[in-house]
Amino acid sequence: MQSELRKKLLDAFTNAGEAFLSGQYLAELIGCSRTAVWKHIEELRKEGFELEAVRNKGYRIIKTPESITADEIRLGLTTNIIGSNIYYEESVESTQKIAHHLSSENVPEGTVIIAEEQRSGKGRMNRTWYSPKYTGIWMSLILRPNIPLNNAPQLTLLTAVAIVQAIEEETGLQTEIKWPNDILLNGKKVTGILTELQAEADRIHSIIIGIGINVNQKMDDFPSELQDKASSLSIEKGEDISRSGLIRCIFKNFERLYLLYLEQGFFPIKLLWEGYAISLGKNLKARTLTNVIEGKALGITDEGVLKLEDETGFVHHIYSADIEV
Amino acid sequence: MLKVQEIRELIKLVDQSSIDEFVYEIDGSKIKMKKNSATTVVSQVSRISPEVELVPAIQQAPAKQAVSASVQEIVQEAAKPEVSTQADTANLHKITSPMVGTFYASPTPDADEYVKAGSRVSKDSIVCIVEAMKLFNEIEAEVNGEIIEVLAKNGQLVEYGQPLFIVKPE
């Protein structure tokens, strides 16, 4: 985890913009010696930051590395809750596992665990999520909302909306949501979301949202059997995308929607979700553990449940299924 | 077809009477009550129809079938000698679903169930997963004890508050 000093240092550079900050100023601001400031600056350089140092003026950051360390994400981050605490790892089994562990140690709400690589990323029903190094965003977000447990699944739809909005803001790409929260670009999956809940009886202890986004993979990076089903933002856009910029934008949009949700409930989120939904009004197949239901997608209920009208006019309420468009 | 209230009335009457056994048959459905070692043994099991993806509000169509199914279950339950007496039931713990969603008995489709009847559990043992909209809720036993009965089927839609397991606490 990032030290408090490092956070303050990067916040200072965020606020300074293009301006230089003197070693003396930074030392006073973060409450350490100028030698300690110099050591922090050297560590930033090792992480790939380029800093310009000018005598009698001080330091400024001129280039940031394309990794997604806590420092890299912190610089430019404007949120208060989401990403307030960032754990960065080079390579992990699964960020969800670490999040579970941290959650039981009562880390604050908004804590994010992020990794350059997941060796066994988890999908629905323990399907493996393909997450190679340095190419995507693999992270888990810990929330502790004071909401009825029965409403918790709504947050998975909220997450999809936040990511769709962030992708559009950062890249101009318009993605769509397939119920409940897969994100597709030109019909191929670019994002998966899996959420786990920890509760004692009816009380939510934490909600852990696992997010996997294919950002800069090239077509060759995907196994051949996935090439017509999955893609990356970079493949569709034709250029590489800054992962840290996208992460900050996701945090920003998530925080805004989350606060809106806590204040006004699911209704405003539902309207946004339906605006991005790929399949409303169309026929689709819902494959459940026990059967397959075909019908027209009418929309979602106020709880986020998919309404599917079959050919007899009967409306099925779908809580769990793989949707085939 | 008898209403639940009427069945309840019948149980009371049989209980207070000197009758040992009572059978009532109509339209192919059958209710059978039998006194067992001086205690009336009747177990009312109300289950929602097994169709997984339906919510109760729109289940009116197969209602008749569902009711006869549950009456059939009453017959079966009542016939089981090991079904607990009323005194015992008070001590049993029910693990209920904290949300509406799909009940999964095992972590993956091809893995073993988390627990079966007879499994020993401790407070933090995971007994099943309830999932809705890709939110997975691992349900813990909350008591130390032994699983007496698994009430839900793998893949079934369960309601908020619906009993999933009966545990005999230790």
Side-chain angles (χ1 to χ4, degrees):
Chain A
M1 195 197 132
Q2 252 179 328
S3 71
E4 280 301 313
L5 292 184
R6 185 66 67 85
K7 272 193 202 173
K8 283 186 184 169
L9 186 67
L10 288 159
D11 286 347
F13 280 117
T14 303
N15 294 332
E18 299 283 296
F20 284 90
L21 297 176
S22 74
Q24 184 60 40
Y25 169 81
L26 289 171
E28 280 169 20
L29 184 80
I30 63 181
C32 66
S33 68
R34 287 182 64 174
T35 316
V37 169
W38 180 81
K39 276 185 186 158
H40 280 289
I41 299 283
E42 282 311 298
E43 276 173 31
L44 287 177
R45 285 193 167 126
K46 274 185 206 150
E47 283 184 14
F49 284 84
E50 282 179 33
L51 284 108
E52 190 181 6
V54 175
R55 189 177 293 271
N56 296 327
K57 273 183 160 181
Y59 304 97
R60 68 173 179 180
I61 291 175
I62 51 172
K63 192 165 178 283
T64 53
E66 207 4 80
S67 62
I68 44 171
T69 61
D71 290 345
E72 172 71 7
I73 293 166
R74 184 88 199 164
L75 186 72
L77 187 63
T78 53
T79 52
N80 293 317
I81 308 165
I82 309 302
S84 57
N85 210 7
I86 299 169
Y87 290 77
Y88 167 83
E89 302 285 342
E90 276 278 315
S91 177
V92 296
E93 284 286 314
S94 137
T95 56
Q96 286 295 93
K97 277 187 195 164
I98 299 174
H100 271 281
H101 180 71
L102 288 172
S103 169
S104 56
E105 291 178 355
N106 291 318
V107 293
E109 172 165 72
T111 295
V112 175
I113 298 86
I114 193 153
E116 296 286 8
E117 172 187 49
Q118 286 191 107
R119 296 188 299 276
S120 57
K122 227 160 95 178
R124 201 170 119 84
M125 304 311 292
N126 274 355
R127 283 172 206 153
T128 311
W129 177 261
Y130 180 69
S131 30
K133 205 162 186 177
Y134 299 122
T135 56
I137 295 172
W138 328 117
M139 63 182 177
S140 296
L141 164 63
I142 299 173
L143 299 178
R144 304 189 190 282
N146 182 17
I147 58 170
L149 193 149
N150 214 17
N151 292 350
Q154 296 168 342
L155 286 168
T156 72
L157 280 75
L158 183 151
T159 306
V161 172
I163 294 171
V164 165
Q165 291 185 338
I167 289 174
E168 178 160 10
E169 209 176 309
E170 277 292 297
T171 69
L173 294 167
Q174 295 192 343
T175 52
E176 295 175 293
I177 306 172
K178 187 180 80 167
W179 187 90
N181 57 14
D182 278 349
I183 296 177
L184 307 186
L185 181 53
N186 302 326
K188 294 179 176 180
K189 183 161 168 174
V190 290
T191 296
I193 300 162
L194 181 149
T195 305
E196 291 172 283
L197 182 101
Q198 294 182 323
E200 276 160 46
D202 274 2
R203 221 189 114 259
I204 294 173
H205 179 254
S206 64
I207 291 175
I208 301 172
I209 303 177
I211 299 169
I213 307 176
N214 297 333
V215 184
N216 288 330
Q217 287 102 324
K218 302 294 168 264
M219 200 41 108
D220 294 350
D221 290 330
F222 290 99
S224 54
E225 70 272 17
L226 285 182
Q227 289 187 1
D228 58 342
K229 291 183 196 143
S231 188
S232 75
L233 301 179
S234 165
I235 291 169
E236 304 298 316
K237 171 112 174 137
E239 61 184 65
D240 276 1
I241 286 144
S242 157
R243 287 178 301 150
S244 59
L246 182 55
I247 291 167
R248 276 193 296 276
C249 197
I250 290 168
F251 289 177
K252 184 187 75 177
N253 283 294
F254 191 101
E255 183 159 303
R256 180 175 45 79
L257 293 171
Y258 183 55
L259 295 175
L260 178 71
Y261 171 80
L262 293 180
E263 197 189 306
Q264 296 183 23
F266 186 60
F267 187 68
I269 309 301
K270 179 192 171 193
L271 295 181
L272 290 168
W273 188 94
E274 287 182 332
Y276 297 120
I278 193 171
S279 45
L280 296 192
K282 290 183 194 158
N283 279 308
L284 48 82
K285 270 188 200 173
R287 193 177 294 279
T288 73
L289 200 64
T290 46
N291 62 349
V292 179
I293 299 165
E294 279 191 73
K296 192 169 89 173
L298 299 181
I300 53 173
T301 67
D302 292 342
E303 285 78 45
V305 174
L306 179 65
K307 292 186 287 186
L308 207 57
E309 184 182 22
D310 68 20
E311 53 185 21
T312 69
F314 186 85
V315 179
H316 299 262
H317 283 208
I318 311 286
Y319 284 82
S320 315
D322 281 331
I323 302 297
E324 293 168 24
V325 184
Chain B
M1 187 55 56
L2 289 179
K3 295 196 179 90
V4 174
Q5 250 86 0
E6 292 170 319
I7 295 175
R8 212 174 276 156
E9 274 305 302
L10 271 175
I11 293 171
K12 266 191 210 158
L13 291 172
V14 173
D15 199 15
Q16 287 156 8
S17 75
S18 57
I19 305 172
D20 276 329
E21 203 169 334
F22 173 80
V23 182
Y24 176 80
E25 240 179 311
I26 187 166
D27 294 337
S29 294
K30 188 165 152 187
I31 291 179
K32 185 173 168 188
M33 297 176 194
K34 193 176 178 183
K35 285 188 184 173
N36 202 354
S37 54
T39 315
T40 310
V41 178
V42 173
S43 175
Q44 169 77 38
V45 180
S46 60
R47 273 178 209 169
I48 295 152
S49 125
E51 174 62 73
V52 182
E53 298 301 336
L54 309 183
V55 293
I58 49 167
Q59 274 181 334
Q60 257 81 35
K64 195 176 173 195
Q65 248 182 319
V67 174
S68 49
S70 67
V71 171
Q72 196 58 42
E73 277 168 7
I74 292 170
V75 176
Q76 287 166 357
E77 291 294 325
K80 278 186 195 168
E82 73 276 15
V83 168
S84 340
T85 60
Q86 281 157 345
D88 274 356
T89 316
N91 294 329
L92 295 178
H93 176 79
K94 273 184 194 150
I95 303 174
T96 58
S97 179
M99 60 186 240
V100 187
T102 304
F103 173 90
Y104 296 110
S106 59
T108 58
D110 32 347
D112 288 341
E113 294 102 334
Y114 286 107
V115 293
K116 294 178 204 166
S119 298
R120 301 247 154 228
V121 291
S122 56
K123 280 182 182 175
D124 55 359
S125 301
I126 294 166
V127 291
C128 67
I129 288 176
V130 177
E131 179 258 354
M133 289 158 260
K134 286 202 208 171
L135 178 132
F136 292 78
N137 188 359
E138 289 181 337
I139 312 293
E140 294 179 357
E142 286 168 13
V143 288
N144 297 324
E146 184 191 339
I147 301 282
I148 299 294
E149 198 179 350
V150 183
L151 301 172
K153 288 192 182 70
N154 195 36
Q156 181 189 341
L157 181 74
V158 293
E159 289 297 319
Y160 171 78
Q162 182 175 336
L164 305 175
F165 299 91
I166 296 175
V167 189
K168 188 177 176 188
E170 277 160 9

